[in-house]
Amino acid sequence: MLDSVVGMLGSFPKQAAPYILTRALVKSNAGRYRDAVQDYVEYESIVGNIQNAEFFYLREQAELNGKMYQQALNDIETAIYLAPENPLYYIEKGMLCYRVKMYDEGIRALDKAGELAPSSPDVYYLLGRLYVQKGDKATAKENFGKALSLGHPYAEKQLKTVE
C-alpha cells in the first residue's frame, strides 16, 4: 500500500516524504535493509537538511544490517554530531568499530560513552571485547569485571575466557 501511495504522489515529492520514511521503517522491520536505505536516502533528498539524530541512527541500523559499513559509520558520526550527549550513539559506534576492526576508534567512542553513562554495563563489556582484540588482556579483564559488577549478562563468560 505504501508503494501505491508513494507512486500516486510521485509528482508531489514533499507530500510523499512521510510515506517514504514510513516505507523505509517497514522495509527495515521486514529485513529488507538495503531497500530501506534507498528509501531513507530518497527521503533525505526530498526533505533536505535533516537535523534529527534519530533519523541518522535509524538509517545507520539499516545500513549495518545491510552490511553497508562505511555508510553506517558516516551516519552514526552524523548522529553523534547532532546529539553529542546521547551515549547510545557512542555505544553504537563502538560496536560498529568492533565489527569492522577499527579497535582504537571504537575504544575512543566507548570511552566517551562511559563518561556520559558510567553505569552502562554495555560500555564496559564492549570495551573488554575491543581490548581482547588488541591483545590487552589486563584491560579487557578489568572492563569485563566492571561490566559484570553492573549486571551485564555475558560478562562473566567473557571474563573466564580472558583468564
Side-chain angles (χ1 to χ4, degrees), residues 44 49-57 60 72-93 105 109 112 116:
E44 183 181 25
N49 188 19
I50 296 175
Q51 296 295 311
N52 181 333
E54 182 71 13
F55 169 83
F56 291 100
Y57 173 72
E60 180 267 346
L73 281 167
N74 293 343
D75 278 341
I76 202 62
E77 280 293 330
T78 302
I80 288 170
Y81 174 77
L82 293 171
E85 298 305 313
N86 188 331
L88 170 66
Y89 301 146
Y90 294 97
I91 293 169
E92 183 67 24
K93 181 178 179 185
E105 185 73 17
K112 180 64 177 176
L116 296 170

Short mmCIF file of all heavy atoms in Angstrom, two decimals, residues 44 49-57 60 72-93 105 109 112 116:
data_model
loop_
_atom_site.label_atom_id
_atom_site.label_comp_id
_atom_site.label_asym_id
_atom_site.label_seq_id
_atom_site.Cartn_x
_atom_site.Cartn_y
_atom_site.Cartn_z
N GLU A 44 15.74 11.77 2.48
CA GLU A 44 16.69 12.85 2.77
C GLU A 44 16.81 13.79 1.57
O GLU A 44 16.89 15.02 1.74
CB GLU A 44 18.06 12.28 3.14
CG GLU A 44 19.06 13.35 3.51
CD GLU A 44 20.43 12.80 3.87
OE1 GLU A 44 20.77 11.69 3.40
OE2 GLU A 44 21.15 13.49 4.60
N ASN A 49 17.96 19.31 4.38
CA ASN A 49 18.85 19.40 5.54
C ASN A 49 18.20 18.81 6.80
O ASN A 49 17.53 19.52 7.52
CB ASN A 49 19.23 20.87 5.74
CG ASN A 49 20.29 21.05 6.79
OD1 ASN A 49 21.01 20.12 7.12
ND2 ASN A 49 20.38 22.25 7.32
N ILE A 50 18.45 17.54 7.06
CA ILE A 50 17.87 16.87 8.22
C ILE A 50 18.77 17.12 9.43
O ILE A 50 19.97 16.86 9.38
CB ILE A 50 17.72 15.36 7.95
CG1 ILE A 50 16.73 15.14 6.82
CG2 ILE A 50 17.27 14.63 9.22
CD1 ILE A 50 16.59 13.71 6.39
N GLN A 51 18.18 17.59 10.50
CA GLN A 51 18.90 17.88 11.73
C GLN A 51 18.39 17.01 12.87
O GLN A 51 18.28 17.45 14.00
CB GLN A 51 18.76 19.36 12.09
CG GLN A 51 19.38 20.29 11.08
CD GLN A 51 20.89 20.13 11.00
OE1 GLN A 51 21.57 20.13 12.01
NE2 GLN A 51 21.41 19.98 9.80
N ASN A 52 18.07 15.77 12.56
CA ASN A 52 17.49 14.85 13.52
C ASN A 52 18.40 13.63 13.67
O ASN A 52 18.52 12.82 12.75
CB ASN A 52 16.10 14.43 13.03
CG ASN A 52 15.39 13.49 13.97
OD1 ASN A 52 16.01 12.75 14.72
ND2 ASN A 52 14.08 13.51 13.92
N ALA A 53 19.03 13.51 14.82
CA ALA A 53 19.97 12.41 15.06
C ALA A 53 19.29 11.06 14.95
O ALA A 53 19.91 10.09 14.47
CB ALA A 53 20.62 12.57 16.43
N GLU A 54 18.05 10.97 15.36
CA GLU A 54 17.31 9.70 15.31
C GLU A 54 17.19 9.17 13.88
O GLU A 54 17.29 7.98 13.64
CB GLU A 54 15.93 9.86 15.94
CG GLU A 54 15.12 8.60 15.99
CD GLU A 54 15.62 7.57 17.01
OE1 GLU A 54 16.45 7.92 17.86
OE2 GLU A 54 15.16 6.43 16.93
N PHE A 55 17.00 10.07 12.92
CA PHE A 55 16.94 9.67 11.51
C PHE A 55 18.23 8.97 11.10
O PHE A 55 18.22 7.90 10.50
CB PHE A 55 16.68 10.88 10.60
CG PHE A 55 16.86 10.57 9.14
CD1 PHE A 55 15.84 9.98 8.42
CD2 PHE A 55 18.05 10.85 8.49
CE1 PHE A 55 16.00 9.67 7.07
CE2 PHE A 55 18.23 10.55 7.15
CZ PHE A 55 17.20 9.96 6.44
N PHE A 56 19.36 9.59 11.43
CA PHE A 56 20.65 9.02 11.04
C PHE A 56 20.94 7.72 11.78
O PHE A 56 21.55 6.81 11.24
CB PHE A 56 21.77 10.05 11.23
CG PHE A 56 21.64 11.17 10.24
CD1 PHE A 56 21.08 12.38 10.62
CD2 PHE A 56 22.06 11.01 8.93
CE1 PHE A 56 20.93 13.41 9.70
CE2 PHE A 56 21.93 12.04 8.00
CZ PHE A 56 21.35 13.24 8.39
N TYR A 57 20.47 7.62 13.01
CA TYR A 57 20.62 6.37 13.77
C TYR A 57 19.80 5.26 13.12
O TYR A 57 20.28 4.14 12.94
CB TYR A 57 20.20 6.57 15.22
CG TYR A 57 20.16 5.29 16.02
CD1 TYR A 57 21.34 4.65 16.39
CD2 TYR A 57 18.96 4.71 16.38
CE1 TYR A 57 21.32 3.47 17.10
CE2 TYR A 57 18.92 3.53 17.11
CZ TYR A 57 20.11 2.91 17.46
OH TYR A 57 20.08 1.74 18.16
N GLU A 60 21.46 4.25 10.00
CA GLU A 60 22.67 3.50 10.34
C GLU A 60 22.33 2.05 10.67
O GLU A 60 23.05 1.13 10.29
CB GLU A 60 23.38 4.17 11.52
CG GLU A 60 24.65 3.48 11.97
CD GLU A 60 24.44 2.48 13.10
OE1 GLU A 60 23.38 2.48 13.74
OE2 GLU A 60 25.37 1.67 13.33
N ALA A 72 27.22 3.23 7.30
CA ALA A 72 26.78 3.17 8.70
C ALA A 72 27.70 4.01 9.58
O ALA A 72 27.22 4.74 10.47
CB ALA A 72 26.74 1.71 9.18
N LEU A 73 28.99 3.92 9.37
CA LEU A 73 29.93 4.74 10.14
C LEU A 73 29.67 6.24 9.91
O LEU A 73 29.68 7.03 10.86
CB LEU A 73 31.38 4.40 9.78
CG LEU A 73 31.94 3.15 10.42
CD1 LEU A 73 33.25 2.73 9.75
CD2 LEU A 73 32.17 3.36 11.91
N ASN A 74 29.44 6.60 8.66
CA ASN A 74 29.16 8.01 8.35
C ASN A 74 27.90 8.49 9.07
O ASN A 74 27.87 9.59 9.63
CB ASN A 74 29.01 8.21 6.84
CG ASN A 74 30.31 7.97 6.09
OD1 ASN A 74 31.39 7.95 6.66
ND2 ASN A 74 30.19 7.76 4.79
N ASP A 75 26.86 7.66 9.05
CA ASP A 75 25.60 8.08 9.66
C ASP A 75 25.66 8.11 11.18
O ASP A 75 25.06 8.99 11.80
CB ASP A 75 24.44 7.20 9.17
CG ASP A 75 23.93 7.66 7.81
OD1 ASP A 75 24.19 8.81 7.42
OD2 ASP A 75 23.25 6.87 7.14
N ILE A 76 26.38 7.19 11.80
CA ILE A 76 26.48 7.24 13.26
C ILE A 76 27.32 8.45 13.68
O ILE A 76 27.04 9.07 14.71
CB ILE A 76 26.97 5.91 13.88
CG1 ILE A 76 26.54 5.81 15.35
CG2 ILE A 76 28.46 5.71 13.73
CD1 ILE A 76 25.07 5.80 15.61
N GLU A 77 28.29 8.80 12.86
CA GLU A 77 29.06 10.03 13.13
C GLU A 77 28.15 11.26 13.06
O GLU A 77 28.26 12.16 13.88
CB GLU A 77 30.21 10.18 12.12
CG GLU A 77 31.42 9.35 12.44
CD GLU A 77 32.13 9.80 13.71
OE1 GLU A 77 32.10 11.00 14.06
OE2 GLU A 77 32.72 8.93 14.36
N THR A 78 27.25 11.28 12.08
CA THR A 78 26.32 12.40 11.96
C THR A 78 25.38 12.44 13.16
O THR A 78 25.10 13.51 13.71
CB THR A 78 25.52 12.30 10.65
OG1 THR A 78 26.44 12.28 9.55
CG2 THR A 78 24.58 13.49 10.49
N ALA A 79 24.90 11.29 13.59
CA ALA A 79 24.03 11.23 14.76
C ALA A 79 24.77 11.77 15.99
O ALA A 79 24.20 12.54 16.78
CB ALA A 79 23.55 9.81 15.01
N ILE A 80 26.03 11.39 16.14
CA ILE A 80 26.84 11.89 17.27
C ILE A 80 27.01 13.41 17.17
O ILE A 80 26.90 14.12 18.17
CB ILE A 80 28.20 11.16 17.32
CG1 ILE A 80 28.00 9.72 17.79
CG2 ILE A 80 29.19 11.91 18.20
CD1 ILE A 80 29.23 8.83 17.66
N TYR A 81 27.26 13.89 15.98
CA TYR A 81 27.42 15.34 15.79
C TYR A 81 26.15 16.09 16.19
O TYR A 81 26.21 17.15 16.82
CB TYR A 81 27.78 15.62 14.32
CG TYR A 81 27.81 17.08 13.98
CD1 TYR A 81 28.89 17.87 14.36
CD2 TYR A 81 26.76 17.68 13.30
CE1 TYR A 81 28.92 19.23 14.07
CE2 TYR A 81 26.78 19.04 13.00
CZ TYR A 81 27.86 19.80 13.39
OH TYR A 81 27.89 21.14 13.11
N LEU A 82 25.00 15.53 15.81
CA LEU A 82 23.72 16.20 16.09
C LEU A 82 23.26 16.05 17.54
O LEU A 82 22.52 16.88 18.03
CB LEU A 82 22.64 15.67 15.14
CG LEU A 82 22.82 16.02 13.67
CD1 LEU A 82 21.82 15.27 12.80
CD2 LEU A 82 22.70 17.53 13.46
N ALA A 83 23.68 14.96 18.19
CA ALA A 83 23.28 14.72 19.59
C ALA A 83 24.47 14.21 20.38
O ALA A 83 24.54 13.04 20.76
CB ALA A 83 22.12 13.73 19.64
N PRO A 84 25.45 15.08 20.64
CA PRO A 84 26.69 14.63 21.26
C PRO A 84 26.56 14.16 22.70
O PRO A 84 27.49 13.56 23.23
CB PRO A 84 27.61 15.86 21.17
CG PRO A 84 26.67 17.02 21.06
CD PRO A 84 25.46 16.51 20.33
N GLU A 85 25.44 14.38 23.33
CA GLU A 85 25.26 13.95 24.72
C GLU A 85 24.49 12.63 24.84
O GLU A 85 24.16 12.21 25.95
CB GLU A 85 24.56 15.05 25.53
CG GLU A 85 25.36 16.35 25.59
CD GLU A 85 26.78 16.16 26.12
OE1 GLU A 85 26.95 15.47 27.15
OE2 GLU A 85 27.72 16.68 25.49
N ASN A 86 24.21 11.97 23.72
CA ASN A 86 23.47 10.71 23.74
C ASN A 86 24.46 9.54 23.75
O ASN A 86 25.09 9.26 22.73
CB ASN A 86 22.54 10.61 22.53
CG ASN A 86 21.61 9.42 22.62
OD1 ASN A 86 21.93 8.40 23.21
ND2 ASN A 86 20.45 9.55 22.00
N PRO A 87 24.60 8.84 24.86
CA PRO A 87 25.58 7.76 24.95
C PRO A 87 25.27 6.58 24.01
O PRO A 87 26.19 5.87 23.59
CB PRO A 87 25.53 7.32 26.41
CG PRO A 87 24.22 7.80 26.91
CD PRO A 87 23.87 9.02 26.12
N LEU A 88 24.00 6.39 23.67
CA LEU A 88 23.64 5.29 22.77
C LEU A 88 24.40 5.36 21.46
O LEU A 88 24.85 4.34 20.95
CB LEU A 88 22.13 5.30 22.50
CG LEU A 88 21.64 4.35 21.40
CD1 LEU A 88 21.85 2.90 21.81
CD2 LEU A 88 20.20 4.63 21.05
N TYR A 89 24.56 6.55 20.93
CA TYR A 89 25.23 6.69 19.64
C TYR A 89 26.72 6.34 19.74
O TYR A 89 27.29 5.75 18.82
CB TYR A 89 25.04 8.09 19.08
CG TYR A 89 23.58 8.46 18.87
CD1 TYR A 89 23.13 9.75 19.06
CD2 TYR A 89 22.64 7.50 18.52
CE1 TYR A 89 21.80 10.09 18.87
CE2 TYR A 89 21.30 7.82 18.34
CZ TYR A 89 20.89 9.11 18.51
OH TYR A 89 19.56 9.44 18.32
N TYR A 90 27.34 6.67 20.85
CA TYR A 90 28.74 6.30 21.04
C TYR A 90 28.89 4.79 21.23
O TYR A 90 29.84 4.18 20.74
CB TYR A 90 29.34 7.04 22.24
CG TYR A 90 29.44 8.52 22.05
CD1 TYR A 90 28.46 9.37 22.54
CD2 TYR A 90 30.52 9.08 21.37
CE1 TYR A 90 28.54 10.75 22.37
CE2 TYR A 90 30.62 10.45 21.18
CZ TYR A 90 29.63 11.28 21.69
OH TYR A 90 29.72 12.63 21.50
N ILE A 91 27.95 4.19 21.95
CA ILE A 91 27.97 2.73 22.13
C ILE A 91 27.79 2.05 20.78
O ILE A 91 28.51 1.09 20.45
CB ILE A 91 26.88 2.28 23.14
CG1 ILE A 91 27.22 2.79 24.53
CG2 ILE A 91 26.72 0.76 23.13
CD1 ILE A 91 26.10 2.62 25.56
N GLU A 92 26.88 2.56 20.00
CA GLU A 92 26.64 2.01 18.66
C GLU A 92 27.89 2.13 17.80
O GLU A 92 28.26 1.20 17.09
CB GLU A 92 25.47 2.73 18.00
CG GLU A 92 25.10 2.19 16.65
CD GLU A 92 24.54 0.78 16.67
OE1 GLU A 92 24.01 0.35 17.72
OE2 GLU A 92 24.65 0.09 15.64
N LYS A 93 28.56 3.28 17.87
CA LYS A 93 29.78 3.46 17.10
C LYS A 93 30.86 2.49 17.58
O LYS A 93 31.57 1.89 16.76
CB LYS A 93 30.30 4.90 17.19
CG LYS A 93 31.55 5.10 16.37
CD LYS A 93 32.06 6.50 16.41
CE LYS A 93 33.33 6.59 15.58
NZ LYS A 93 33.94 7.91 15.68
N GLU A 105 39.48 3.40 17.37
CA GLU A 105 38.34 4.31 17.20
C GLU A 105 37.16 3.86 18.07
O GLU A 105 36.48 4.68 18.68
CB GLU A 105 37.94 4.35 15.72
CG GLU A 105 36.85 5.34 15.41
CD GLU A 105 37.30 6.78 15.45
OE1 GLU A 105 38.51 7.06 15.41
OE2 GLU A 105 36.41 7.65 15.56
N ALA A 109 35.29 5.93 21.17
CA ALA A 109 33.84 6.15 21.23
C ALA A 109 33.26 5.62 22.54
O ALA A 109 32.43 6.28 23.18
CB ALA A 109 33.16 5.48 20.03
N LYS A 112 34.02 7.78 25.57
CA LYS A 112 33.09 8.91 25.64
C LYS A 112 31.74 8.44 26.17
O LYS A 112 31.12 9.11 27.01
CB LYS A 112 32.94 9.56 24.26
CG LYS A 112 32.00 10.73 24.24
CD LYS A 112 32.49 11.89 25.08
CE LYS A 112 31.55 13.08 24.97
NZ LYS A 112 31.93 14.17 25.84
N LEU A 116 29.55 9.64 29.60
CA LEU A 116 28.14 10.06 29.57
C LEU A 116 27.22 9.12 30.35
O LEU A 116 26.20 9.56 30.89
CB LEU A 116 27.65 10.15 28.12
CG LEU A 116 28.33 11.21 27.25
CD1 LEU A 116 27.93 11.04 25.79
CD2 LEU A 116 28.00 12.61 27.75
#
